[in-house]
């Protein structure tokens, strides 16, 4: 069985993409998709108890993710960004396995490095989902948060964007969570560049 070690995912596109392949595999069964979706509440509880002692067990998530090739990092706290992204993907983007035989899932579209939250907010502006002032204000608010608060706020932001069919690039989002404690200024700069330099949904200036 091929495994994906999160420690190897620190900023390299193949690693982040590998993790998302594991997540898509875990979501390919009805039980896997359902448990990962329920995992969002587990992760949010664990943000208050990063040792994993929130009273909510991560075991259902492990059952599906590890079977798909996932190996968690050394500590429960370091694992939270991975589980959060997995739960958000399962909630908003994972195809319904029960209809897979009659309805083919959408083809996977690779993301570009600049497809970060700034790009998603720029896309929302282009579609008229958000005003530019509102998008800039929300993105600026997120940019000033610490990592834990950022992850706590992200589910509502992602929900708003996905309800308007604005894409979220999961590998860059995971990478930004992982970079945040060490390089918050660089992540903020990357978001600003993508937000202000994107003149269509797919094309930077």
């Amino acid at each position: 069985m091929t495994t994906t070690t999160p420690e190897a995912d620190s900023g390299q596109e193949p690693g982040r993409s590998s993790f998302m392949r594991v997540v898509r595999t875990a979501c390919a069964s009805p039980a896997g998709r359902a448990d990962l979706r329920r995992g969002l509440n587990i992760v949010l509880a664990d943000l208050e108890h990063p040792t994993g002692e929130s009273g909510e067990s991560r075991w259902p998530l492990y059952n599906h993710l590890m079977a798909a090739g996932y190996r968690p990092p050394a500590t429960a706290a370091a694992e939270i960004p991975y589980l959060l992204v997995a739960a958000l993907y399962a909630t908003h983007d994972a195809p319904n396995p029960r209809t897979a035989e009659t309805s083919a899932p959408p083809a996977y579209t690779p993301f570009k490095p600049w497809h970060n939250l700034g790009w998603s907010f720029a896309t929302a502006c282009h579609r008229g989902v958000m005003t530019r002032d509102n998008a800039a204000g929300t993105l600026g608010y997120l940019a000033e948060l610490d990592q834990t608060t950022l992850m706590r706020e992200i589910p509502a932001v992602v929900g708003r964007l996905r309800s308007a069919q604005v894409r979220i690039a999961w590998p860059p989002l995971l990478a930004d969570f992982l970079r945040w404690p060490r390089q918050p200024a660089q992540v903020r700069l990357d978001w600003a560049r993508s937000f202000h330099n994107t003149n269509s949904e797919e094309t930077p200036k």
Side-chain angles (χ1 to χ4, degrees), residues 9 52-53 57 182 187 198:
D9 295 355
E53 300 299 330
S57 174
R182 307 184 311 274
V187 177
T198 301

Side-chain angles (χ1 to χ4, degrees), residues 121 124-125 130-141 160 195-196:
F121 275 94
C125 293
M130 303 175 73
T131 66
R132 194 156 189 85
D133 285 347
N134 182 258
T138 304
L139 192 61
Y141 165 73
R160 181 180 179 186
F195 180 69
H196 291 286

Side-chain angles (χ1 to χ4, degrees), residues 41-58 62 70 72-83 146-149 151-152 181:
N41 290 331
I42 296 172
V43 176
L44 291 177
D46 280 349
L47 284 171
E48 308 301 327
H49 303 274
T51 60
E53 300 299 330
S54 68
E56 296 277 359
S57 174
R58 298 180 185 180
Y62 293 152
Y70 166 68
T75 68
E79 183 180 41
I80 289 178
Y82 296 93
L83 298 184
D146 60 79
Q147 186 197 38
T148 298
T149 309
M151 290 191 293
R152 190 182 298 123

Side-chain angles (χ1 to χ4, degrees), residues 60-81:
L61 306 179
Y62 293 152
N63 274 344
H64 303 288
L65 289 172
M66 289 187 180
Y70 166 68
R71 287 189 297 167
T75 68
E79 183 180 41
I80 289 178

